[in-house]
Amino acid sequence: MKQKSSLQHNRSFLKVISGLVIILGLLFLASGNHSLSQGLFNQQVDTQARTYQLQVHSSYDNITRSFYGTQQLTLKISNSSSIQGHLLWNLTWDNGKTWYAENASYIYFINRTYQYAGLTCYTAWWIHPAVQIGDQIQIDGDVPATNNFLRLAPFIVTDLLSLEVNQQHYLCWQLTYNSPNYQHETYYYEYHTGILLSATSVQFEAHQPVHEVWLELQTADQLPPPISPLLHFWTNYNSTLIAFIGATTVTLLGYYLLQRIRPPQDPFPLNSGQ
């Protein structure tokens, strides 16, 4: 009886440990496969269009002004060294009663940059995806969404995380720009392609937001590859998950060792008084 109980206990313990190892293995496998897929996916910028949803809210001197609409970006290779970018935006200031349409065109270098005020800047629509946390990326931007603020320093790559856009999860580089007590911006670029998925910019006065801009990708001719829910969970919570699995494993191992060194007890002790 005792031997059978001990054998069942050992089997239960091994099953738990095996389950934890399998979970970690699947998560690392998903992460490894994703790293490989970065080299396999190569987005060609020949002629393509993207549509973004745009919202802007301003409040100066007790006067509130808001508008929203769409902004379409069309890219077309013009020659071996440059890309033509055409912007078309359609905005409303009166909740859709009337709409205002405008457009502009720009020329970008084939390496996704252009010259502005003597600096080599990224246009904000896409950056080169081969960046690392801590890199500094000079971004200027285009009207009317990504150039609302004066930037005296580059953005900094601060994180790699999973972002939900249109009910899909994408792996993104997070770039931030901070001017203490004045300005905060966060841009998210898809990991494989470097295209802009979402952007938030806020300007402050006396610690109160006075100008807010929100931009998010809605459609694209070539959508970047989404990631699985498993990789989404792993990307955003890997440190917490590893700590939890490690603590659980140590606890189970300690419990198992205590059971092994504890002296066996007779389940039917004799009554000394009889």
Side-chain angles (χ1 to χ4, degrees):
M1 178 72 70
K2 295 178 183 177
Q3 185 177 5
K4 184 177 180 180
S5 176
S6 177
L7 183 59
Q8 291 177 343
H9 177 76
N10 291 343
R11 287 178 176 175
S12 299
F13 175 76
L14 290 175
K15 287 180 179 179
V16 173
I17 295 299
S18 300
L20 294 175
V21 171
I22 290 173
I23 291 174
L24 274 178
L26 289 173
L27 291 172
F28 280 115
L29 181 61
S31 178
N33 287 341
H34 177 73
S35 297
L36 291 175
S37 69
Q38 184 184 21
L40 298 174
F41 186 91
N42 182 23
Q43 185 188 45
Q44 298 296 325
V45 182
D46 41 19
T47 299
Q48 61 173 274
R50 303 182 219 145
T51 301
Y52 292 85
Q53 183 179 353
L54 171 65
Q55 295 182 13
V56 179
H57 179 82
S58 301
S59 180
Y60 293 101
D61 298 326
N62 296 322
I63 299 176
T64 299
R65 182 173 178 264
S66 300
F67 63 88
Y68 65 87
T70 59
Q71 179 160 352
Q72 185 181 64
L73 168 67
T74 302
L75 299 172
K76 183 177 181 179
I77 292 181
S78 56
N79 54 55
S80 60
S81 62
S82 62
I83 299 174
Q84 182 178 7
H86 183 73
L87 297 174
L88 172 65
W89 55 93
N90 196 20
L91 307 174
T92 178
W93 278 261
D94 52 10
N95 293 320
K97 295 179 181 178
T98 56
W99 291 84
Y100 169 77
E102 189 57 84
N103 65 87
S105 294
Y106 300 92
I107 297 296
Y108 310 122
F109 295 140
I110 204 74
N111 66 352
R112 314 181 186 200
T113 64
Y114 67 106
Q115 293 293 321
Y116 174 75
L119 298 174
T120 299
C121 302
Y122 284 97
T123 171
W125 298 119
W126 71 136
I127 63 172
H128 197 286
V131 298
Q132 297 180 351
I133 293 178
D135 286 354
Q136 297 185 12
I137 308 297
Q138 192 76 44
I139 294 176
D140 176 47
D142 298 324
V143 294
T146 58
N147 71 335
N148 277 251
F149 303 102
L150 177 65
R151 303 182 182 107
L152 302 178
F155 280 71
I156 298 177
V157 182
T158 52
D159 204 352
L160 177 65
L161 47 78
S162 174
L163 180 73
E164 183 177 357
V165 177
N166 290 330
Q167 301 179 345
Q168 294 280 2
H169 292 107
Y170 298 94
L171 193 62
C172 299
W173 291 111
Q174 175 182 274
L175 277 65
T176 58
Y177 180 95
N178 284 295
S179 177
N181 303 321
Y182 174 72
Q183 182 178 330
H184 177 75
E185 297 186 76
T186 306
Y187 281 28
Y188 297 95
Y189 293 90
E190 200 274 328
Y191 176 76
H192 295 93
T193 61
I195 72 170
L196 180 66
L197 291 183
S198 178
T200 302
S201 302
V202 184
Q203 184 178 350
F204 298 89
E205 283 187 4
H207 303 286
Q208 296 296 321
V210 294
H211 189 64
E212 302 173 72
V213 181
W214 175 82
L215 187 76
E216 185 175 88
L217 180 67
Q218 295 299 295
T219 61
D221 288 344
Q222 298 180 13
L223 282 172
I227 62 175
S228 67
L230 181 63
L231 185 55
H232 162 71
F233 183 83
W234 171 252
T235 303
N236 287 355
Y237 305 105
N238 59 76
S239 58
T240 303
L241 183 61
I242 290 175
F244 172 76
I245 292 178
T248 303
T249 303
V250 171
T251 301
L252 290 174
L253 182 60
Y255 174 75
Y256 173 74
L257 292 175
L258 287 175
Q259 292 297 316
R260 296 290 294 176
I261 65 177
R262 180 179 297 174
Q265 297 180 356
D266 192 340
F268 304 103
L270 295 177
N271 190 336
S272 59
Q274 292 181 350

